Amino acid sequence: MIGEARPLRRVDVAVSSGTYPVLVGEDAAGSLHDVLSGLNGLERVAIVTDAHVPQSWPELAAGESREAGAEPLLLSIGGGEASKSTEAVSELLEAMAAGGLHRRDAVIAVGGGVVGDVAGFAAATFMRGIPLIQMPTTLLAMVDSSIGGKTGLNLRAGKNLVGAFHQPVAVLADTRALTTLPQREINCGLAEIVKYGFIAAPRILELLEISEPEGDVLDELIVTSIRCKAKTVEADEREQASRAHLNFGHTLGHALETVTGHSMSHGEAIAVGMVFALLLGRELGLVDLVDRARRLLRRLDLPVEIQGVDRDAVLNVMQKDKKFSRGLRFVVLRELGAPEVVSEVPDAAITESLEGVGIN
Ligand SMILES: NC(=O)c1ccc[n+]([C@@H]2O[C@H](COP(=O)([O-])OP(=O)(O)OC[C@H]3O[C@@H](n4cnc5c(N)ncnc54)[C@H](O)[C@@H]3O)[C@@H](O)[C@H]2O)c1
Ligand SMILES: [Zn+2]
């Protein structure tokens, strides 16, 4: 392809353990050897990926590692939610130990959110924590899971019930990876980007309303989203309060993923979940952004309602989630860009809002 490479953009994330850079753009991965050269005493790196990530990415990471004088150990998990297991982590940790990694060595997560979570958890726990570099290769991982230091594993009882906070030393989001990503996965990431637009950055909505999410525009959407996530994380690193705002659209979204047996992707589910949350806000007398959301989500080929899903099944799953939190809570918008958490919402408002997304 002929053309100028777009410049790298940088967002710094300041957390209690220090400040780390997030680099976004074509050839962000080329900064890996600099990042590794900055780590003291590094001899080996575990490069973790999954079977569906194009192999050129872990190979590129291995080349950069050698250049920085570190011996790469290439490790692969199966991929998919089933890989976010204690068994997969245990295999990874054993392989890292067998490969001779020590406490000054590092883990590089090359892949989507699944790889980021599993490799991140391994880095958080191996010898009580070793440096982690995130190289997200999905749009969702670039704008969401690779930033903020949360890692998660699934148990039979539910998703992400095990985890650790472990901030990376750097995040390298090389946007060339997106060229091989299936459209459905791109849409998944776009749904999260729309979420940031509603809860914090109206500029995102404006951009998506007038232009296609590609090239420079996509880079800007990614960087703006990362800034939103970074700000939220900086304000509330360990998820005591405001970090919960990132769950806008997710209460119903998670339930829809469950009741559809994951035939609905995460992005599709939270798209419907955001319309629901906006309907709920409107029921509660808050800002009315329902039409704007529906128009934008349709433009992005994301669903705004779902047919054939049973209301009681959805309510049951949302109630069951309650066990793990403190009651049924929803993130709604008081104004565009001003989210708040509400609890003790009248049943009638929930029922009405569910009907508005086709669930009755
Ligand atoms: N830790 C957090 O803060 C956090 C936040 C949000 C989501 N998550 C987790 O992230 C996971 C979802 O992440 P995801 O959407 O990236 O899914 P994923 O990691 O399963 O990736 C989706 C698919 O795309 C493939 N893939 C990855 N990069 C590719 C590329 N460049 N080209 C072609 N295919 C590629 C993967 O192999 C996989 O098959 C969930 O498990 C979720 O719980 C974690
Ligand atoms: Zn999400």
Side-chain angles (χ1 to χ4, degrees):
M1 207 164 56
I2 300 174
E4 290 282 301
R6 299 193 296 278
L8 273 190
R9 304 183 196 217
R10 176 184 174 126
V11 179
D12 286 317
V13 186
V15 287
S16 53
S17 56
T19 297
Y20 61 89
V22 182
L23 301 180
V24 181
E26 293 174 330
D27 201 29
S31 300
L32 181 59
H33 65 262
D34 285 345
V35 172
L36 294 176
S37 301
L39 296 176
N40 281 334
L42 182 81
E43 288 176 354
R44 293 188 171 79
V45 289
I47 298 171
V48 182
T49 192
D50 78 34
H52 302 290
V53 174
Q55 288 311 292
S56 54
W57 291 104
E59 279 162 18
L60 193 153
E64 293 275 324
S65 304
R66 285 193 198 95
E67 232 177 274
E71 188 55 40
L73 177 67
L74 285 159
L75 302 171
S76 185
I77 59 171
E81 280 300 312
S83 298
K84 288 192 18 173
S85 65
T86 48
E87 290 83 359
V89 167
S90 145
E91 271 180 38
L92 212 53
L93 293 170
E94 292 290 356
M96 285 159 60
L101 261 77
H102 60 66
R103 66 182 73 248
R104 297 176 110 185
D105 290 334
V107 171
I108 309 174
V110 184
V114 165
V115 168
D117 272 359
V118 175
F121 187 83
T125 49
F126 187 74
M127 302 197 171
R128 298 193 185 79
I130 64 172
L132 168 70
I133 294 131
Q134 291 276 8
M135 280 183 56
T137 61
T138 67
L139 185 54
L140 181 131
M142 289 180 188
V143 299
D144 189 355
S145 56
S146 68
I147 322 284
K150 267 210 306 184
T151 67
L153 302 179
N154 304 330
L155 293 180
R156 277 187 286 275
K159 274 191 63 171
N160 296 322
L161 292 181
V162 172
F165 285 98
H166 190 58
Q167 300 289 348
V169 295
V171 181
L172 306 176
D174 196 313
T175 49
R176 288 172 303 175
L178 301 176
T179 54
T180 54
L181 198 64
Q183 190 59 43
R184 197 166 178 211
E185 301 293 344
I186 295 276
N187 289 358
C188 233
L190 286 174
E192 300 286 357
I193 290 175
V194 169
K195 176 190 80 176
Y196 294 119
F198 278 108
I199 64 171
R203 163 100 184 117
I204 286 180
L205 305 183
E206 288 157 17
L207 263 179
L208 283 169
E209 282 163 346
I210 55 162
S211 38
E212 295 303 317
E214 46 194 39
D216 272 340
V217 173
L218 184 56
D219 285 9
E220 184 171 348
L221 290 166
I222 294 172
V223 169
T224 310
S225 298
I226 290 171
R227 277 205 197 97
C228 292
K229 174 117 194 208
K231 268 200 199 125
T232 315
V233 169
E234 286 170 351
D236 182 17
E237 196 174 335
R238 297 186 83 90
E239 197 159 338
Q240 306 296 311
S242 60
R243 194 162 172 165
H245 294 159
L246 297 169
N247 283 331
F248 177 62
H250 281 60
T251 308
L252 177 63
H254 284 148
L256 289 178
E257 285 180 86
T258 304
V259 299
T260 62
H262 292 270
S263 70
M264 235 185 164
S265 75
H266 179 71
E268 290 160 355
I270 67 159
V272 175
M274 287 190 280
V275 177
F276 165 78
L278 291 171
L279 283 162
L280 192 64
R282 186 166 80 180
E283 286 290 325
L284 299 175
L286 306 175
V287 70
D288 182 0
L289 292 163
V290 176
D291 288 342
R292 186 169 184 190
R294 284 188 175 134
R295 229 177 302 125
L296 179 57
L297 292 168
R298 285 201 181 103
R299 182 177 153 85
L300 298 172
D301 278 329
L302 285 160
V304 297
E305 58 181 14
I306 170 134
Q307 302 302 325
V309 165
D310 181 58
R311 183 177 68 201
D312 289 340
V314 167
L315 285 170
N316 265 337
V317 175
M318 290 201 292
Q319 295 289 348
K320 213 171 125 208
D321 267 356
K322 240 172 82 163
K323 217 172 42 205
F324 304 116
S325 63
R326 278 170 296 161
L328 205 47
R329 288 138 54 93
F330 298 96
V331 181
V332 294
L333 298 189
R334 194 161 18 87
E335 290 295 341
L336 179 56
E340 65 184 42
V341 178
V342 290
S343 51
E344 293 171 28
V345 178
D347 284 349
I350 298 178
T351 312
E352 274 291 311
S353 308
L354 284 175
E355 265 178 30
V357 293
I359 302 170
N360 41 48

